[in-house]
Amino acid sequence: MKRIGWSLVSVAFFAALLIAWQLAADAKLLNPLWFPGPDRSFGKLWEWITTGALWSPLADTVWRMFAGWLAACVAGVGLGALIASSTLGRRLLQPSAEFLRPLPASAILPPAILLLGFSDAMIVFVVAFGCVWPILLGAIHGFGSMDQRLVEVSRLLNLTPWQRAWKFQLPGAAPHIFAGMRVSIAIALIVTVASEMLSSQPGIGYLMLVAARAFRSADIFAGIIVLGALGFVTNFATQKLEDWLLRWR
Amino acid sequence: MGAIIPGGVLVLWEVLSRMGVLSEDGFSRPSRFFVAGAKALADGTLLAQTAQTFAAAGQALAMAAIAGIVLGAILGLFRPLERAASLTIESLRPIPSVALIPLSLLLFGFSRDMSAWVAAFACFWPILLVTISAVRSVDVRLIEVGKLLGYSFPRIIVKFALPAALPAILVGIRVAAGIAIVVTVTTEIVTNPRGLGFAMTMAAQSLQADLVWATLMWVGVIGYLLNWSLERLERRWLRYR
């Protein structure tokens, strides 16, 4: 009962802010050229939905985001398992991974454009590059920190390295990998939108940049709402997926 | 040991591009981009661009720290207010920072403010959340002492709540500093005619592959050094605690 009460308060607070925004826009306290009120912003979003103008760019953005992210998940877990399985691999590769991790993912956009041109493949590649580091480092850490007793058990059971990785190491590493994947999905959205803006590939990011050049501020705000919703939904979904897959813990 | 892989990649890169396997236009070759990098360093352009990027990132961090700490302290001390604002925070936080680039471009034009505001939005959230939880975990007795001494509320915050919460807040600021550089460079690459990001976009558009790779490596080194020194600073701070 008390929780429901607080959710109502929290909704009321949010609504009050929206009303304040509307009043400020109506009173021309905010320059209408730059700041449309919520009526015009949500109105534009509703227009996109009803005319169907939203779906094609949204599908483009979502596709690029997930293609890059999934590629990073596969590469990160595979490489991570490989690096963690041998001390030599770890010594050789971990410093390079640590060096590349703080590099802004968008910084490889200019060379990627030189090599791949303005294309979908270029964006997916840059997204994957940006997403791979948290997953890779999570996987290295997860696979590397296997309990010594489990190593002995697997030796007693005469397991092949492959069986050992699948039965013991992957479940142990999963929480670290998922933590990396959840960080990466947020990176995927940011890099996708930035790449679309730079390379003029159709998508939500490009739509918004074109709107800014034409001073159509309602379109910009509708785009911000869409991207915020996309960020919220993807974060929520990966969180739920993680809870469900790790429910045995 | 760690230098074997990067060194090997560079040697292979040089050999393959000399053999013509890798196209000169896109890949250039390591010997060329070290020369291009040295030239850009010597004539000062690279350093000037680095300074522009750091100025924008620093401005972003300062704005985010002020807003995040003030709002975080208020929300952390008044639990009801924090609960009321929770939906608002949860619905604004997932907005990707780059979504604000078009709006910022409209508001500030091609300027330092433009990238700084976008980066400040990204930096604000970790600082706000860390401050809320740090201020909330401040010992209640400290606040009571402040009240007994007859201090005004802002004075209690400045004298008791913030100093006790400071170590945790500094961790948040370190995280935000890394974010500030990443988002600033991203914004510069996408639109802004300043800084390291702009340098790379310009070099790519004028097909100077050697300069693109040189600047990319410079950005990597800068990011790594920044990360490293912030971690050192934090460790030193934690030791004093």
Side-chain angles (χ1 to χ4, degrees):
Chain A
M1 197 54 221
K2 220 178 160 195
R3 275 188 62 181
I4 299 173
W6 277 115
S7 333
L8 283 178
V9 171
S10 153
V11 171
F13 186 89
F14 190 55
L17 281 182
L18 278 179
I19 292 169
W21 176 17
Q22 183 69 57
L23 290 177
D26 287 346
K28 301 269 192 288
L29 287 175
L30 299 170
N31 189 330
L33 192 61
W34 297 322
F35 289 106
D39 53 346
R40 274 171 62 209
S41 308
F42 285 95
K44 178 56 81 177
L45 179 60
W46 183 244
E47 185 193 313
W48 282 358
I49 293 172
T50 48
T51 59
L54 174 65
W55 309 122
S56 160
L58 184 62
D60 281 334
T61 301
V62 170
W63 180 82
R64 289 183 193 119
M65 182 181 163
F66 276 96
W69 182 66
L70 285 174
C73 289
V74 173
V77 173
L79 270 176
L82 211 65
I83 294 176
S85 65
S86 76
T87 7
L88 182 68
R90 196 186 289 215
R91 279 228 193 115
L92 278 176
L93 290 166
Q94 202 165 8
S96 303
E98 295 283 355
F99 178 78
L100 288 171
R101 183 177 54 99
L103 187 71
S106 52
I108 70 151
L109 266 170
I113 288 174
L114 276 182
L115 298 179
L116 298 167
F118 293 113
S119 65
D120 252 7
M122 183 277 289
I123 297 182
V124 172
F125 173 76
V126 175
V127 173
F129 180 88
C131 289
V132 81
W133 309 110
I135 304 173
L136 178 67
L137 293 173
I140 294 177
H141 184 72
F143 282 113
S145 59
M146 187 177 164
D147 194 329
Q148 205 51 44
R149 279 170 301 180
L150 285 179
V151 177
E152 276 159 30
V153 169
S154 63
R155 202 171 293 149
L156 281 174
L157 291 173
N158 268 330
L159 295 182
T160 63
W162 177 249
Q163 280 171 319
R164 192 180 74 183
W166 181 252
K167 298 239 182 220
F168 289 122
Q169 286 181 302
L170 191 61
H176 298 284
I177 295 172
F178 274 112
M181 281 163 72
R182 212 144 38 81
V183 173
S184 286
I185 194 83
I187 299 177
L189 179 59
I190 292 176
V191 177
T192 305
V193 173
S195 310
E196 284 171 0
M197 287 179 178
L198 181 64
S199 67
S200 307
Q201 294 289 305
I204 302 288
Y206 178 60
L207 199 77
M208 291 169 70
L209 201 63
V210 171
R213 289 193 185 127
F215 286 87
R216 291 199 309 262
S217 54
D219 292 62
I220 296 178
F221 274 80
I224 292 176
I225 297 167
V226 170
L227 291 179
L230 192 56
F232 181 82
V233 169
T234 47
N235 182 46
F236 184 79
T238 37
Q239 176 81 63
K240 286 288 155 211
L241 184 73
E242 180 182 344
D243 291 347
W244 183 73
L245 283 171
L246 298 180
R247 66 193 181 283
W248 47 268
R249 282 216 298 170
Chain B
M1 277 290 266
I4 294 176
I5 296 285
V9 168
L10 286 179
V11 170
L12 193 68
W13 189 336
E14 180 77 30
V15 170
L16 286 179
S17 70
R18 271 176 199 264
M19 282 164 56
V21 180
L22 297 175
S23 98
E24 278 292 287
D25 301 343
F27 283 99
S28 183
R29 58 174 78 154
S31 53
R32 292 228 174 107
F33 52 72
F34 279 116
V35 170
K39 212 187 277 171
L41 261 180
D43 70 11
T45 49
L46 202 51
L47 291 177
Q49 284 154 346
T50 310
Q52 287 173 348
T53 298
F54 269 84
Q59 187 186 343
L61 192 61
M63 293 192 299
I66 292 169
I69 292 172
V70 170
L71 279 177
I74 295 172
L75 293 180
L77 285 170
F78 297 107
R79 189 93 173 88
L81 196 61
E82 192 222 330
R83 283 179 161 175
S86 64
L87 178 68
T88 311
I89 293 177
E90 287 316 309
S91 38
L92 292 180
R93 197 160 67 99
I95 296 177
S97 49
V98 290
L100 299 179
I101 290 177
L103 178 66
S104 196
L105 184 64
L106 213 54
L107 285 173
F108 303 107
F110 296 105
S111 64
R112 188 184 68 220
D113 281 333
M114 189 225 134
S115 21
W117 277 92
V118 174
F121 177 83
C123 298
F124 171 70
W125 302 108
I127 298 178
L128 176 78
L129 296 181
V130 155
T131 309
I132 290 177
S133 76
V135 168
R136 198 193 294 151
S137 59
V138 168
D139 198 334
V140 192
R141 281 172 295 182
L142 274 179
I143 312 284
E144 295 289 323
V145 169
K147 280 184 188 153
L148 278 176
L149 289 172
Y151 282 6
S152 66
F153 185 69
R155 201 160 169 205
I156 291 178
I157 295 187
V158 173
K159 291 266 172 193
F160 292 105
L162 283 183
L166 198 61
I169 294 175
L170 283 182
V171 175
I173 290 181
R174 175 176 85 77
V175 171
I179 298 175
I181 289 285
V182 170
V183 178
T184 304
V185 171
T186 303
T187 314
E188 285 170 353
I189 284 179
V190 174
T191 48
N192 195 11
R194 298 171 65 93
L196 290 170
F198 171 70
M200 293 178 65
T201 304
M202 272 320 281
Q205 278 170 6
S206 54
L207 299 178
Q208 290 172 279
D210 49 356
L211 193 56
V212 173
W213 289 107
T215 315
L216 176 66
M217 290 174 81
W218 176 253
V219 171
V221 171
I222 298 263
Y224 183 79
L225 286 180
L226 184 76
N227 223 34
W228 181 81
S229 43
L230 286 171
E231 263 165 27
R232 287 290 297 266
L233 251 154
E234 185 182 317
R235 217 170 295 157
R236 175 173 283 189
W237 172 268
L238 289 178
R239 206 178 52 209
Y240 278 120
R241 192 150 64 129

